[in-house]
Amino acid sequence: MYFAALLARTEDGWEASDTELDDVETLSDLTDLARDASVDEDTVLVYIEQEDAWFGVVRVDGEEDPRIYVSDASAAARSSYGEILLTDELLGREPGAEDEIAALEELVDLDGTEDGEPEVSEEAAVDGRSDPAADDDIPLDAVPAGPLGDLGLLADFGLSEKELLTLRTDALVEITDALGAAEVMESVR
């Protein structure tokens, strides 16, 4: 189960609204959604959580690039909403590299196996194993477990890097308490 909310900073404090992400397919879509909720190009926070698995915060300040924090990148990678937040830049990959590799593999048989033949590593072949699932190799594009992103995302609002790292299942409560927005968020949750 997912929950998503927008917190827009105004002259009078924070305004909160829950939001549907059905039409959001990219980080750009999410950033546009946040900017539409902005008052005078002030800060907007987008909070997304998958119950007991992970949460993410996207901070949009006017026309600046969004800043992102994800509590557990590997859990988020298994989620369609989490994938939106896990950009190539956040993961330290060259933009589009994954797409280029996939396209090349389609054009050329880079793994050295015949069509329909299972891929077996050298180690597995020497050991007599033929089950590719038995191979312990970790994919090069694996997403790291644990927190990822901008730890200072909420520091100027009173939530330090260390505090952000300790947040787990009640993250939204802790974040909105630090922002002074707990009451307005409670009205939409």
Short mmCIF file of all heavy atoms in Angstrom, two decimals, residues 105-142:
data_model
loop_
_atom_site.label_atom_id
_atom_site.label_comp_id
_atom_site.label_asym_id
_atom_site.label_seq_id
_atom_site.Cartn_x
_atom_site.Cartn_y
_atom_site.Cartn_z
N GLU A 105 22.79 -5.68 -26.50
CA GLU A 105 22.59 -7.11 -26.28
C GLU A 105 21.54 -7.69 -27.21
O GLU A 105 21.60 -8.85 -27.58
CB GLU A 105 22.22 -7.36 -24.81
CG GLU A 105 23.41 -7.21 -23.88
CD GLU A 105 23.06 -7.37 -22.42
OE1 GLU A 105 21.86 -7.34 -22.07
OE2 GLU A 105 23.99 -7.52 -21.62
N GLU A 106 20.55 -6.88 -27.58
CA GLU A 106 19.55 -7.34 -28.54
C GLU A 106 20.15 -7.52 -29.92
O GLU A 106 19.79 -8.44 -30.65
CB GLU A 106 18.39 -6.35 -28.61
CG GLU A 106 17.40 -6.50 -27.51
CD GLU A 106 16.21 -5.57 -27.69
OE1 GLU A 106 15.82 -5.29 -28.85
OE2 GLU A 106 15.68 -5.13 -26.67
N LEU A 107 21.08 -6.65 -30.30
CA LEU A 107 21.68 -6.71 -31.63
C LEU A 107 22.73 -7.80 -31.75
O LEU A 107 22.89 -8.42 -32.79
CB LEU A 107 22.33 -5.36 -31.97
CG LEU A 107 21.38 -4.19 -32.16
CD1 LEU A 107 22.17 -2.91 -32.33
CD2 LEU A 107 20.48 -4.43 -33.36
N VAL A 108 23.50 -8.02 -30.70
CA VAL A 108 24.64 -8.94 -30.74
C VAL A 108 24.54 -9.90 -29.56
O VAL A 108 24.18 -9.52 -28.46
CB VAL A 108 25.97 -8.15 -30.62
CG1 VAL A 108 27.15 -9.07 -30.68
CG2 VAL A 108 26.06 -7.09 -31.68
N ASP A 109 24.87 -11.15 -29.78
CA ASP A 109 24.86 -12.15 -28.71
C ASP A 109 26.13 -11.98 -27.87
O ASP A 109 27.14 -12.61 -28.13
CB ASP A 109 24.78 -13.55 -29.32
CG ASP A 109 24.70 -14.63 -28.25
OD1 ASP A 109 24.36 -14.32 -27.10
OD2 ASP A 109 24.99 -15.79 -28.59
N LEU A 110 26.07 -11.09 -26.89
CA LEU A 110 27.25 -10.77 -26.10
C LEU A 110 27.59 -11.78 -25.01
O LEU A 110 28.69 -11.77 -24.48
CB LEU A 110 27.09 -9.39 -25.44
CG LEU A 110 26.99 -8.21 -26.41
CD1 LEU A 110 26.80 -6.93 -25.62
CD2 LEU A 110 28.22 -8.13 -27.28
N ASP A 111 26.65 -12.68 -24.67
CA ASP A 111 26.95 -13.61 -23.59
C ASP A 111 27.62 -14.89 -24.07
O ASP A 111 28.01 -15.73 -23.26
CB ASP A 111 25.70 -13.91 -22.76
CG ASP A 111 24.64 -14.69 -23.54
OD1 ASP A 111 24.88 -15.01 -24.72
OD2 ASP A 111 23.58 -14.97 -22.96
N GLY A 112 27.77 -15.08 -25.37
CA GLY A 112 28.50 -16.24 -25.89
C GLY A 112 27.72 -17.53 -25.90
O GLY A 112 28.27 -18.59 -26.17
N THR A 113 26.43 -17.50 -25.62
CA THR A 113 25.64 -18.72 -25.62
C THR A 113 24.83 -18.80 -26.90
O THR A 113 24.58 -17.80 -27.57
CB THR A 113 24.67 -18.77 -24.42
OG1 THR A 113 23.78 -17.67 -24.52
CG2 THR A 113 25.42 -18.73 -23.11
N GLU A 114 24.42 -20.00 -27.23
CA GLU A 114 23.53 -20.19 -28.37
C GLU A 114 22.13 -19.79 -27.95
O GLU A 114 21.79 -19.79 -26.78
CB GLU A 114 23.53 -21.68 -28.79
CG GLU A 114 24.87 -22.16 -29.30
CD GLU A 114 25.26 -21.53 -30.62
OE1 GLU A 114 24.38 -21.25 -31.43
OE2 GLU A 114 26.46 -21.30 -30.82
N ASP A 115 21.29 -19.43 -28.94
CA ASP A 115 19.91 -19.10 -28.62
C ASP A 115 19.25 -20.26 -27.89
O ASP A 115 19.35 -21.41 -28.31
CB ASP A 115 19.12 -18.81 -29.91
CG ASP A 115 19.50 -17.47 -30.50
OD1 ASP A 115 20.10 -16.65 -29.76
OD2 ASP A 115 19.19 -17.24 -31.68
N GLY A 116 18.60 -19.94 -26.78
CA GLY A 116 17.89 -20.95 -26.01
C GLY A 116 18.76 -21.69 -25.01
O GLY A 116 18.27 -22.42 -24.17
N GLU A 117 20.07 -21.57 -25.11
CA GLU A 117 20.98 -22.24 -24.19
C GLU A 117 21.14 -21.37 -22.94
O GLU A 117 21.37 -20.18 -23.03
CB GLU A 117 22.34 -22.40 -24.88
CG GLU A 117 23.39 -23.10 -24.04
CD GLU A 117 24.73 -23.15 -24.77
OE1 GLU A 117 24.74 -23.21 -26.01
OE2 GLU A 117 25.75 -23.11 -24.08
N PRO A 118 21.02 -21.97 -21.73
CA PRO A 118 21.16 -21.16 -20.52
C PRO A 118 22.59 -20.64 -20.38
O PRO A 118 23.54 -21.31 -20.76
CB PRO A 118 20.80 -22.10 -19.38
CG PRO A 118 20.97 -23.46 -19.93
CD PRO A 118 20.76 -23.36 -21.42
N GLU A 119 22.71 -19.44 -19.82
CA GLU A 119 24.02 -18.84 -19.59
C GLU A 119 24.63 -19.47 -18.33
O GLU A 119 23.99 -19.59 -17.31
CB GLU A 119 23.86 -17.34 -19.38
CG GLU A 119 25.15 -16.62 -19.22
CD GLU A 119 24.95 -15.13 -19.03
OE1 GLU A 119 23.89 -14.61 -19.41
OE2 GLU A 119 25.88 -14.51 -18.51
N VAL A 120 25.89 -19.91 -18.44
CA VAL A 120 26.59 -20.54 -17.32
C VAL A 120 27.92 -19.83 -17.17
O VAL A 120 28.67 -19.67 -18.13
CB VAL A 120 26.81 -22.05 -17.58
CG1 VAL A 120 27.54 -22.69 -16.42
CG2 VAL A 120 25.50 -22.75 -17.85
N SER A 121 28.23 -19.41 -15.93
CA SER A 121 29.51 -18.74 -15.71
C SER A 121 30.65 -19.76 -15.77
O SER A 121 30.43 -20.96 -15.66
CB SER A 121 29.51 -18.05 -14.34
OG SER A 121 29.54 -19.02 -13.32
N GLU A 122 31.90 -19.26 -15.98
CA GLU A 122 33.05 -20.16 -16.01
C GLU A 122 33.16 -20.95 -14.72
O GLU A 122 33.43 -22.15 -14.73
CB GLU A 122 34.34 -19.34 -16.22
CG GLU A 122 34.57 -18.92 -17.64
CD GLU A 122 35.90 -18.22 -17.79
OE1 GLU A 122 36.90 -18.69 -17.19
OE2 GLU A 122 35.94 -17.22 -18.50
N GLU A 123 32.94 -20.26 -13.59
CA GLU A 123 33.02 -20.93 -12.29
C GLU A 123 32.01 -22.05 -12.19
O GLU A 123 32.31 -23.16 -11.74
CB GLU A 123 32.78 -19.91 -11.18
CG GLU A 123 32.86 -20.49 -9.79
CD GLU A 123 32.53 -19.44 -8.74
OE1 GLU A 123 33.28 -18.45 -8.64
OE2 GLU A 123 31.53 -19.64 -8.03
N ALA A 124 30.79 -21.80 -12.65
CA ALA A 124 29.74 -22.82 -12.60
C ALA A 124 30.08 -23.98 -13.53
O ALA A 124 29.84 -25.14 -13.21
CB ALA A 124 28.39 -22.21 -12.98
N ALA A 125 30.66 -23.68 -14.70
CA ALA A 125 31.02 -24.73 -15.64
C ALA A 125 32.12 -25.62 -15.05
O ALA A 125 32.07 -26.85 -15.18
CB ALA A 125 31.48 -24.13 -16.96
N VAL A 126 33.11 -25.03 -14.39
CA VAL A 126 34.19 -25.80 -13.77
C VAL A 126 33.64 -26.67 -12.64
O VAL A 126 34.03 -27.82 -12.47
CB VAL A 126 35.30 -24.85 -13.23
CG1 VAL A 126 36.29 -25.60 -12.36
CG2 VAL A 126 35.99 -24.16 -14.39
N ASP A 127 32.70 -26.12 -11.87
CA ASP A 127 32.11 -26.86 -10.75
C ASP A 127 31.06 -27.87 -11.22
O ASP A 127 30.54 -28.63 -10.42
CB ASP A 127 31.42 -25.91 -9.76
CG ASP A 127 32.42 -25.04 -9.02
OD1 ASP A 127 33.63 -25.34 -9.05
OD2 ASP A 127 31.99 -24.04 -8.41
N GLY A 128 30.74 -27.83 -12.50
CA GLY A 128 29.74 -28.75 -13.03
C GLY A 128 28.31 -28.26 -12.83
O GLY A 128 27.37 -29.00 -13.05
N ARG A 129 28.16 -27.03 -12.40
CA ARG A 129 26.80 -26.49 -12.22
C ARG A 129 26.32 -25.94 -13.56
O ARG A 129 27.07 -25.31 -14.28
CB ARG A 129 26.79 -25.35 -11.20
CG ARG A 129 27.13 -25.78 -9.81
CD ARG A 129 27.07 -24.62 -8.85
NE ARG A 129 28.25 -23.77 -9.05
CZ ARG A 129 28.29 -22.49 -8.76
NH1 ARG A 129 27.24 -21.88 -8.29
NH2 ARG A 129 29.38 -21.79 -8.95
N SER A 130 25.06 -26.17 -13.86
CA SER A 130 24.52 -25.62 -15.10
C SER A 130 23.35 -24.69 -14.83
O SER A 130 22.77 -24.16 -15.76
CB SER A 130 24.09 -26.75 -16.04
OG SER A 130 23.08 -27.51 -15.41
N ASP A 131 22.99 -24.51 -13.58
CA ASP A 131 21.88 -23.66 -13.22
C ASP A 131 22.36 -22.23 -13.05
O ASP A 131 23.10 -21.93 -12.13
CB ASP A 131 21.24 -24.16 -11.92
CG ASP A 131 20.07 -23.31 -11.46
OD1 ASP A 131 19.61 -22.47 -12.26
OD2 ASP A 131 19.62 -23.51 -10.32
N PRO A 132 21.93 -21.32 -13.93
CA PRO A 132 22.38 -19.93 -13.82
C PRO A 132 21.97 -19.31 -12.49
O PRO A 132 22.64 -18.44 -11.97
CB PRO A 132 21.69 -19.20 -14.96
CG PRO A 132 21.12 -20.23 -15.85
CD PRO A 132 21.06 -21.51 -15.10
N ALA A 133 20.86 -19.76 -11.90
CA ALA A 133 20.41 -19.21 -10.63
C ALA A 133 21.36 -19.57 -9.49
O ALA A 133 21.39 -18.93 -8.46
CB ALA A 133 19.01 -19.70 -10.31
N ALA A 134 22.15 -20.61 -9.68
CA ALA A 134 23.08 -21.04 -8.64
C ALA A 134 24.33 -20.17 -8.63
O ALA A 134 25.13 -20.23 -7.70
CB ALA A 134 23.47 -22.50 -8.86
N ASP A 135 24.52 -19.36 -9.65
CA ASP A 135 25.68 -18.48 -9.73
C ASP A 135 25.51 -17.32 -8.75
O ASP A 135 24.46 -16.72 -8.67
CB ASP A 135 25.81 -17.95 -11.17
CG ASP A 135 27.18 -17.39 -11.45
OD1 ASP A 135 28.05 -17.48 -10.57
OD2 ASP A 135 27.36 -16.87 -12.56
N ASP A 136 26.55 -17.00 -8.00
CA ASP A 136 26.47 -15.97 -6.97
C ASP A 136 26.88 -14.60 -7.47
O ASP A 136 27.01 -13.68 -6.67
CB ASP A 136 27.38 -16.33 -5.79
CG ASP A 136 26.93 -17.60 -5.10
OD1 ASP A 136 27.15 -18.68 -5.66
OD2 ASP A 136 26.38 -17.49 -4.02
N ASP A 137 27.09 -14.43 -8.76
CA ASP A 137 27.53 -13.13 -9.26
C ASP A 137 26.46 -12.08 -9.00
O ASP A 137 25.28 -12.32 -9.18
CB ASP A 137 27.80 -13.20 -10.77
CG ASP A 137 29.01 -14.04 -11.09
OD1 ASP A 137 29.81 -14.31 -10.19
OD2 ASP A 137 29.15 -14.40 -12.27
N ILE A 138 26.90 -10.89 -8.59
CA ILE A 138 25.99 -9.79 -8.35
C ILE A 138 25.97 -8.93 -9.61
O ILE A 138 27.01 -8.59 -10.14
CB ILE A 138 26.47 -8.95 -7.14
CG1 ILE A 138 26.45 -9.82 -5.88
CG2 ILE A 138 25.63 -7.71 -6.97
CD1 ILE A 138 27.09 -9.16 -4.68
N PRO A 139 24.79 -8.59 -10.09
CA PRO A 139 24.72 -7.78 -11.30
C PRO A 139 25.43 -6.43 -11.10
O PRO A 139 25.38 -5.85 -10.03
CB PRO A 139 23.22 -7.55 -11.51
CG PRO A 139 22.51 -8.39 -10.54
CD PRO A 139 23.49 -8.89 -9.54
N LEU A 140 26.07 -5.96 -12.16
CA LEU A 140 26.79 -4.70 -12.09
C LEU A 140 25.88 -3.52 -11.83
O LEU A 140 26.29 -2.52 -11.27
CB LEU A 140 27.57 -4.47 -13.38
CG LEU A 140 28.68 -5.46 -13.68
CD1 LEU A 140 29.28 -5.18 -15.05
CD2 LEU A 140 29.76 -5.40 -12.61
N ASP A 141 24.62 -3.62 -12.26
CA ASP A 141 23.70 -2.51 -12.09
C ASP A 141 22.82 -2.67 -10.85
O ASP A 141 21.76 -2.07 -10.75
CB ASP A 141 22.84 -2.33 -13.33
CG ASP A 141 21.98 -3.55 -13.63
OD1 ASP A 141 22.23 -4.62 -13.03
OD2 ASP A 141 21.07 -3.45 -14.46
N ALA A 142 23.26 -3.47 -9.87
CA ALA A 142 22.49 -3.69 -8.66
C ALA A 142 22.31 -2.37 -7.90
O ALA A 142 23.20 -1.53 -7.87
CB ALA A 142 23.19 -4.71 -7.77
#
